[in-house]
Amino acid sequence: TTTTITETATTVTATDTATTVTATDTATTVTATDTATTVTTTSTTTTITETATTETATDTSTFTTTTEGTTTFPFYNQLPTTTITSTLTLTTTIVPTSTFPHFGDLPTYCSTYTCPDGYEPEPGSTVGTTLAECCKEVACPSDSTGAAVHSGCTCDLNFAGTITATSVAPYYSGSCSPACSGHTCPAGYEPQPGFIEGNTDAECCNEVACPSGSTGAAVHSGCTCSSPWLTITATSSDPYYDGSCYSCGDHTCPAGYEPQPSFVSGNTDAECCSEVACPSGSTGAAVHSGCTCSSPWLTITA
């Protein structure tokens, strides 16, 4: 480097203008000669510390200046000996190399690794080159069950939706919302399938139309029969109403059945007809299915 020595009266100043070091400093002794005085520079031991990608060298040098004796102006021999100590810190970028001392064998960071969908990347400054070193599993979100997002999440009971692994935060898309399987519809409504998302009557329940022979907007709001003694009542089980606007008086039962009273509501065998038991002296489930007498020449006919 270049060393400039300026001497005035009783002051000696040494200025080091070095700004860049690109090689290893192996110098142990440097000698410079000034026409007025003699300057000897001795370099002490240089210590090099390597951390990550930066090499730092600290050079501590001691400058000793002496004057030549003279009896004429400006009487340099009357000046004291001056000692100047300076400290120089050098920073050098390490150049990669595959040979000793292998300064190029620097760590590889996770900033160069791409995590699969469903994983959260570690900070880019983390040292690593593998999935285990550079990526964290993402837990299944609320109202779902599974080991982790990347391996699959299933919505919990009474919740519906899908969870899909992605490569952007929060590293999944979708959600599990309340499902109609957890909602109870009022009487007179037909429930939607349980996998439908929702938790209100509007989302999960369908109105049931008034049955044939009655008038009205829907079962839940009331249906009216033309005969005042016949009624339609809303229920919570299929077909979500009870009763009929038909009278059993208008229904004809098959042979072997006893008709219900005519004021009973109904228009089917199940509503308007009762089985008749086999008479005494015969065996069988009911008259309509057949009864057998102990004497083969005797018969029971529905």
PDB file of all heavy atoms in Angstrom, residues 194-225:
ATOM      1  N   GLY A 194     -77.174 -34.768   4.684  1.00  0.00           N
ATOM      2  CA  GLY A 194     -76.280 -34.340   5.755  1.00  0.00           C
ATOM      3  C   GLY A 194     -74.980 -33.727   5.301  1.00  0.00           C
ATOM      4  O   GLY A 194     -74.361 -32.957   6.038  1.00  0.00           O
ATOM      5  N   PHE A 195     -74.506 -34.034   4.057  1.00  0.00           N
ATOM      6  CA  PHE A 195     -73.207 -33.511   3.610  1.00  0.00           C
ATOM      7  C   PHE A 195     -73.299 -32.079   3.083  1.00  0.00           C
ATOM      8  O   PHE A 195     -72.282 -31.459   2.785  1.00  0.00           O
ATOM      9  CB  PHE A 195     -72.621 -34.419   2.524  1.00  0.00           C
ATOM     10  CG  PHE A 195     -73.491 -34.566   1.298  1.00  0.00           C
ATOM     11  CD1 PHE A 195     -73.492 -33.596   0.302  1.00  0.00           C
ATOM     12  CD2 PHE A 195     -74.296 -35.677   1.153  1.00  0.00           C
ATOM     13  CE1 PHE A 195     -74.293 -33.741  -0.825  1.00  0.00           C
ATOM     14  CE2 PHE A 195     -75.102 -35.825   0.022  1.00  0.00           C
ATOM     15  CZ  PHE A 195     -75.099 -34.858  -0.963  1.00  0.00           C
ATOM     16  N   ILE A 196     -74.502 -31.535   2.995  1.00  0.00           N
ATOM     17  CA  ILE A 196     -74.661 -30.158   2.536  1.00  0.00           C
ATOM     18  C   ILE A 196     -74.158 -29.200   3.616  1.00  0.00           C
ATOM     19  O   ILE A 196     -74.435 -29.375   4.803  1.00  0.00           O
ATOM     20  CB  ILE A 196     -76.139 -29.855   2.220  1.00  0.00           C
ATOM     21  CG1 ILE A 196     -76.651 -30.782   1.096  1.00  0.00           C
ATOM     22  CG2 ILE A 196     -76.322 -28.392   1.823  1.00  0.00           C
ATOM     23  CD1 ILE A 196     -75.971 -30.564  -0.235  1.00  0.00           C
ATOM     24  N   GLU A 197     -73.387 -28.160   3.225  1.00  0.00           N
ATOM     25  CA  GLU A 197     -72.908 -27.168   4.186  1.00  0.00           C
ATOM     26  C   GLU A 197     -74.041 -26.244   4.595  1.00  0.00           C
ATOM     27  O   GLU A 197     -74.794 -25.758   3.764  1.00  0.00           O
ATOM     28  CB  GLU A 197     -71.769 -26.340   3.584  1.00  0.00           C
ATOM     29  CG  GLU A 197     -70.496 -27.119   3.338  1.00  0.00           C
ATOM     30  CD  GLU A 197     -69.367 -26.233   2.863  1.00  0.00           C
ATOM     31  OE1 GLU A 197     -69.353 -25.050   3.259  1.00  0.00           O
ATOM     32  OE2 GLU A 197     -68.515 -26.714   2.100  1.00  0.00           O
ATOM     33  N   GLY A 198     -74.163 -26.013   5.898  1.00  0.00           N
ATOM     34  CA  GLY A 198     -75.190 -25.115   6.402  1.00  0.00           C
ATOM     35  C   GLY A 198     -75.572 -25.444   7.834  1.00  0.00           C
ATOM     36  O   GLY A 198     -75.310 -26.545   8.325  1.00  0.00           O
ATOM     37  N   ASN A 199     -76.199 -24.483   8.515  1.00  0.00           N
ATOM     38  CA  ASN A 199     -76.689 -24.727   9.881  1.00  0.00           C
ATOM     39  C   ASN A 199     -77.926 -23.899  10.191  1.00  0.00           C
ATOM     40  O   ASN A 199     -78.181 -23.551  11.326  1.00  0.00           O
ATOM     41  CB  ASN A 199     -75.575 -24.436  10.899  1.00  0.00           C
ATOM     42  CG  ASN A 199     -75.123 -22.994  10.867  1.00  0.00           C
ATOM     43  OD1 ASN A 199     -75.495 -22.217   9.981  1.00  0.00           O
ATOM     44  ND2 ASN A 199     -74.316 -22.603  11.839  1.00  0.00           N
ATOM     45  N   THR A 200     -78.693 -23.563   9.133  1.00  0.00           N
ATOM     46  CA  THR A 200     -79.955 -22.833   9.310  1.00  0.00           C
ATOM     47  C   THR A 200     -81.077 -23.565   8.594  1.00  0.00           C
ATOM     48  O   THR A 200     -80.835 -24.420   7.734  1.00  0.00           O
ATOM     49  CB  THR A 200     -79.845 -21.405   8.756  1.00  0.00           C
ATOM     50  OG1 THR A 200     -79.684 -21.465   7.320  1.00  0.00           O
ATOM     51  CG2 THR A 200     -78.653 -20.659   9.362  1.00  0.00           C
ATOM     52  N   ASP A 201     -82.321 -23.209   8.941  1.00  0.00           N
ATOM     53  CA  ASP A 201     -83.472 -23.814   8.270  1.00  0.00           C
ATOM     54  C   ASP A 201     -83.431 -23.532   6.771  1.00  0.00           C
ATOM     55  O   ASP A 201     -83.731 -24.411   5.957  1.00  0.00           O
ATOM     56  CB  ASP A 201     -84.775 -23.264   8.852  1.00  0.00           C
ATOM     57  CG  ASP A 201     -85.030 -23.746  10.274  1.00  0.00           C
ATOM     58  OD1 ASP A 201     -84.327 -24.677  10.717  1.00  0.00           O
ATOM     59  OD2 ASP A 201     -85.921 -23.182  10.938  1.00  0.00           O
ATOM     60  N   ALA A 202     -83.037 -22.302   6.414  1.00  0.00           N
ATOM     61  CA  ALA A 202     -83.016 -21.936   5.000  1.00  0.00           C
ATOM     62  C   ALA A 202     -82.010 -22.774   4.220  1.00  0.00           C
ATOM     63  O   ALA A 202     -82.232 -23.094   3.042  1.00  0.00           O
ATOM     64  CB  ALA A 202     -82.689 -20.454   4.855  1.00  0.00           C
ATOM     65  N   GLU A 203     -80.889 -23.142   4.850  1.00  0.00           N
ATOM     66  CA  GLU A 203     -79.848 -23.913   4.174  1.00  0.00           C
ATOM     67  C   GLU A 203     -80.110 -25.415   4.209  1.00  0.00           C
ATOM     68  O   GLU A 203     -79.711 -26.138   3.289  1.00  0.00           O
ATOM     69  CB  GLU A 203     -78.490 -23.640   4.826  1.00  0.00           C
ATOM     70  CG  GLU A 203     -78.006 -22.199   4.681  1.00  0.00           C
ATOM     71  CD  GLU A 203     -76.811 -21.886   5.562  1.00  0.00           C
ATOM     72  OE1 GLU A 203     -76.795 -22.371   6.719  1.00  0.00           O
ATOM     73  OE2 GLU A 203     -75.903 -21.178   5.108  1.00  0.00           O
ATOM     74  N   CYS A 204     -80.771 -25.879   5.253  1.00  0.00           N
ATOM     75  CA  CYS A 204     -80.834 -27.324   5.506  1.00  0.00           C
ATOM     76  C   CYS A 204     -82.228 -27.949   5.435  1.00  0.00           C
ATOM     77  O   CYS A 204     -82.334 -29.180   5.567  1.00  0.00           O
ATOM     78  CB  CYS A 204     -80.242 -27.616   6.890  1.00  0.00           C
ATOM     79  SG  CYS A 204     -78.512 -27.135   7.060  1.00  0.00           S
ATOM     80  N   CYS A 205     -83.265 -27.168   5.259  1.00  0.00           N
ATOM     81  CA  CYS A 205     -84.625 -27.710   5.328  1.00  0.00           C
ATOM     82  C   CYS A 205     -85.454 -27.299   4.116  1.00  0.00           C
ATOM     83  O   CYS A 205     -85.414 -26.132   3.697  1.00  0.00           O
ATOM     84  CB  CYS A 205     -85.323 -27.230   6.599  1.00  0.00           C
ATOM     85  SG  CYS A 205     -84.366 -27.497   8.111  1.00  0.00           S
ATOM     86  N   ASN A 206     -86.212 -28.246   3.571  1.00  0.00           N
ATOM     87  CA  ASN A 206     -87.115 -27.976   2.453  1.00  0.00           C
ATOM     88  C   ASN A 206     -88.560 -28.043   2.930  1.00  0.00           C
ATOM     89  O   ASN A 206     -88.949 -28.947   3.695  1.00  0.00           O
ATOM     90  CB  ASN A 206     -86.920 -29.010   1.341  1.00  0.00           C
ATOM     91  CG  ASN A 206     -85.572 -28.888   0.668  1.00  0.00           C
ATOM     92  OD1 ASN A 206     -85.037 -27.793   0.555  1.00  0.00           O
ATOM     93  ND2 ASN A 206     -85.026 -30.011   0.218  1.00  0.00           N
ATOM     94  N   GLU A 207     -89.363 -27.093   2.475  1.00  0.00           N
ATOM     95  CA  GLU A 207     -90.794 -27.130   2.797  1.00  0.00           C
ATOM     96  C   GLU A 207     -91.435 -28.368   2.162  1.00  0.00           C
ATOM     97  O   GLU A 207     -91.008 -28.835   1.102  1.00  0.00           O
ATOM     98  CB  GLU A 207     -91.491 -25.881   2.262  1.00  0.00           C
ATOM     99  CG  GLU A 207     -91.131 -24.595   2.983  1.00  0.00           C
ATOM    100  CD  GLU A 207     -91.942 -23.418   2.463  1.00  0.00           C
ATOM    101  OE1 GLU A 207     -92.429 -23.488   1.306  1.00  0.00           O
ATOM    102  OE2 GLU A 207     -92.101 -22.427   3.201  1.00  0.00           O
ATOM    103  N   VAL A 208     -92.463 -28.894   2.831  1.00  0.00           N
ATOM    104  CA  VAL A 208     -93.223 -30.036   2.310  1.00  0.00           C
ATOM    105  C   VAL A 208     -94.584 -29.535   1.873  1.00  0.00           C
ATOM    106  O   VAL A 208     -95.289 -28.866   2.645  1.00  0.00           O
ATOM    107  CB  VAL A 208     -93.373 -31.130   3.383  1.00  0.00           C
ATOM    108  CG1 VAL A 208     -94.251 -32.268   2.864  1.00  0.00           C
ATOM    109  CG2 VAL A 208     -91.996 -31.652   3.791  1.00  0.00           C
ATOM    110  N   ALA A 209     -94.929 -29.831   0.632  1.00  0.00           N
ATOM    111  CA  ALA A 209     -96.214 -29.359   0.087  1.00  0.00           C
ATOM    112  C   ALA A 209     -97.380 -30.059   0.773  1.00  0.00           C
ATOM    113  O   ALA A 209     -97.263 -31.201   1.250  1.00  0.00           O
ATOM    114  CB  ALA A 209     -96.255 -29.613  -1.409  1.00  0.00           C
ATOM    115  N   CYS A 210     -98.506 -29.364   0.851  1.00  0.00           N
ATOM    116  CA  CYS A 210     -99.714 -29.981   1.407  1.00  0.00           C
ATOM    117  C   CYS A 210    -100.115 -31.188   0.565  1.00  0.00           C
ATOM    118  O   CYS A 210    -100.024 -31.158  -0.669  1.00  0.00           O
ATOM    119  CB  CYS A 210    -100.856 -28.959   1.420  1.00  0.00           C
ATOM    120  SG  CYS A 210    -100.659 -27.687   2.692  1.00  0.00           S
ATOM    121  N   PRO A 211    -100.546 -32.275   1.202  1.00  0.00           N
ATOM    122  CA  PRO A 211    -100.869 -33.499   0.449  1.00  0.00           C
ATOM    123  C   PRO A 211    -102.147 -33.341  -0.383  1.00  0.00           C
ATOM    124  O   PRO A 211    -102.916 -32.397  -0.230  1.00  0.00           O
ATOM    125  CB  PRO A 211    -101.048 -34.537   1.561  1.00  0.00           C
ATOM    126  CG  PRO A 211    -101.451 -33.748   2.753  1.00  0.00           C
ATOM    127  CD  PRO A 211    -100.722 -32.458   2.649  1.00  0.00           C
ATOM    128  N   SER A 212    -102.310 -34.295  -1.270  1.00  0.00           N
ATOM    129  CA  SER A 212    -103.485 -34.303  -2.153  1.00  0.00           C
ATOM    130  C   SER A 212    -104.777 -34.259  -1.335  1.00  0.00           C
ATOM    131  O   SER A 212    -104.885 -34.902  -0.290  1.00  0.00           O
ATOM    132  CB  SER A 212    -103.449 -35.571  -3.013  1.00  0.00           C
ATOM    133  OG  SER A 212    -104.599 -35.682  -3.808  1.00  0.00           O
ATOM    134  N   GLY A 213    -105.715 -33.487  -1.793  1.00  0.00           N
ATOM    135  CA  GLY A 213    -107.010 -33.367  -1.125  1.00  0.00           C
ATOM    136  C   GLY A 213    -107.053 -32.241  -0.107  1.00  0.00           C
ATOM    137  O   GLY A 213    -108.086 -32.029   0.528  1.00  0.00           O
ATOM    138  N   SER A 214    -105.926 -31.537   0.093  1.00  0.00           N
ATOM    139  CA  SER A 214    -105.889 -30.431   1.055  1.00  0.00           C
ATOM    140  C   SER A 214    -105.394 -29.164   0.363  1.00  0.00           C
ATOM    141  O   SER A 214    -104.849 -29.213  -0.732  1.00  0.00           O
ATOM    142  CB  SER A 214    -104.969 -30.756   2.231  1.00  0.00           C
ATOM    143  OG  SER A 214    -103.609 -30.840   1.806  1.00  0.00           O
ATOM    144  N   THR A 215    -105.628 -28.051   1.013  1.00  0.00           N
ATOM    145  CA  THR A 215    -105.160 -26.764   0.485  1.00  0.00           C
ATOM    146  C   THR A 215    -104.288 -26.076   1.528  1.00  0.00           C
ATOM    147  O   THR A 215    -104.474 -26.256   2.731  1.00  0.00           O
ATOM    148  CB  THR A 215    -106.351 -25.850   0.142  1.00  0.00           C
ATOM    149  OG1 THR A 215    -107.168 -25.662   1.303  1.00  0.00           O
ATOM    150  CG2 THR A 215    -107.211 -26.463  -0.963  1.00  0.00           C
ATOM    151  N   GLY A 216    -103.320 -25.264   1.020  1.00  0.00           N
ATOM    152  CA  GLY A 216    -102.411 -24.551   1.919  1.00  0.00           C
ATOM    153  C   GLY A 216    -101.059 -24.354   1.255  1.00  0.00           C
ATOM    154  O   GLY A 216    -100.749 -25.017   0.253  1.00  0.00           O
ATOM    155  N   ALA A 217    -100.213 -23.418   1.801  1.00  0.00           N
ATOM    156  CA  ALA A 217     -98.900 -23.120   1.217  1.00  0.00           C
ATOM    157  C   ALA A 217     -97.922 -24.264   1.432  1.00  0.00           C
ATOM    158  O   ALA A 217     -97.169 -24.637   0.540  1.00  0.00           O
ATOM    159  CB  ALA A 217     -98.342 -21.835   1.817  1.00  0.00           C
ATOM    160  N   ALA A 218     -97.932 -24.842   2.637  1.00  0.00           N
ATOM    161  CA  ALA A 218     -97.001 -25.920   2.966  1.00  0.00           C
ATOM    162  C   ALA A 218     -97.459 -26.564   4.265  1.00  0.00           C
ATOM    163  O   ALA A 218     -98.235 -25.980   5.030  1.00  0.00           O
ATOM    164  CB  ALA A 218     -95.582 -25.392   3.098  1.00  0.00           C
ATOM    165  N   VAL A 219     -96.953 -27.768   4.525  1.00  0.00           N
ATOM    166  CA  VAL A 219     -97.369 -28.505   5.724  1.00  0.00           C
ATOM    167  C   VAL A 219     -97.056 -27.718   6.998  1.00  0.00           C
ATOM    168  O   VAL A 219     -97.866 -27.648   7.919  1.00  0.00           O
ATOM    169  CB  VAL A 219     -96.688 -29.885   5.758  1.00  0.00           C
ATOM    170  CG1 VAL A 219     -96.859 -30.538   7.123  1.00  0.00           C
ATOM    171  CG2 VAL A 219     -97.247 -30.796   4.666  1.00  0.00           C
ATOM    172  N   HIS A 220     -95.843 -27.094   7.064  1.00  0.00           N
ATOM    173  CA  HIS A 220     -95.445 -26.418   8.302  1.00  0.00           C
ATOM    174  C   HIS A 220     -96.336 -25.221   8.633  1.00  0.00           C
ATOM    175  O   HIS A 220     -96.496 -24.851   9.798  1.00  0.00           O
ATOM    176  CB  HIS A 220     -93.984 -25.964   8.211  1.00  0.00           C
ATOM    177  CG  HIS A 220     -93.753 -24.835   7.252  1.00  0.00           C
ATOM    178  ND1 HIS A 220     -93.844 -23.524   7.621  1.00  0.00           N
ATOM    179  CD2 HIS A 220     -93.425 -24.840   5.918  1.00  0.00           C
ATOM    180  CE1 HIS A 220     -93.583 -22.743   6.582  1.00  0.00           C
ATOM    181  NE2 HIS A 220     -93.327 -23.526   5.539  1.00  0.00           N
ATOM    182  N   SER A 221     -96.947 -24.612   7.592  1.00  0.00           N
ATOM    183  CA  SER A 221     -97.812 -23.454   7.846  1.00  0.00           C
ATOM    184  C   SER A 221     -99.285 -23.822   7.924  1.00  0.00           C
ATOM    185  O   SER A 221    -100.114 -22.982   8.267  1.00  0.00           O
ATOM    186  CB  SER A 221     -97.590 -22.392   6.762  1.00  0.00           C
ATOM    187  OG  SER A 221     -97.850 -22.928   5.471  1.00  0.00           O
ATOM    188  N   GLY A 222     -99.611 -25.098   7.617  1.00  0.00           N
ATOM    189  CA  GLY A 222    -100.988 -25.564   7.783  1.00  0.00           C
ATOM    190  C   GLY A 222    -101.669 -25.946   6.489  1.00  0.00           C
ATOM    191  O   GLY A 222    -101.577 -25.235   5.486  1.00  0.00           O
ATOM    192  N   CYS A 223    -102.335 -27.097   6.501  1.00  0.00           N
ATOM    193  CA  CYS A 223    -103.096 -27.594   5.352  1.00  0.00           C
ATOM    194  C   CYS A 223    -104.542 -27.839   5.814  1.00  0.00           C
ATOM    195  O   CYS A 223    -104.773 -28.345   6.914  1.00  0.00           O
ATOM    196  CB  CYS A 223    -102.494 -28.891   4.818  1.00  0.00           C
ATOM    197  SG  CYS A 223    -100.740 -28.768   4.364  1.00  0.00           S
ATOM    198  N   THR A 224    -105.497 -27.508   4.957  1.00  0.00           N
ATOM    199  CA  THR A 224    -106.916 -27.606   5.328  1.00  0.00           C
ATOM    200  C   THR A 224    -107.626 -28.618   4.444  1.00  0.00           C
ATOM    201  O   THR A 224    -107.495 -28.593   3.217  1.00  0.00           O
ATOM    202  CB  THR A 224    -107.595 -26.232   5.179  1.00  0.00           C
ATOM    203  OG1 THR A 224    -106.909 -25.284   5.992  1.00  0.00           O
ATOM    204  CG2 THR A 224    -109.059 -26.302   5.612  1.00  0.00           C
ATOM    205  N   CYS A 225    -108.375 -29.520   5.096  1.00  0.00           N
ATOM    206  CA  CYS A 225    -109.187 -30.494   4.366  1.00  0.00           C
ATOM    207  C   CYS A 225    -110.595 -29.925   4.163  1.00  0.00           C
ATOM    208  O   CYS A 225    -111.071 -29.093   4.929  1.00  0.00           O
ATOM    209  CB  CYS A 225    -109.297 -31.796   5.138  1.00  0.00           C
ATOM    210  SG  CYS A 225    -107.723 -32.648   5.385  1.00  0.00           S
TER     211      CYS A 225
END
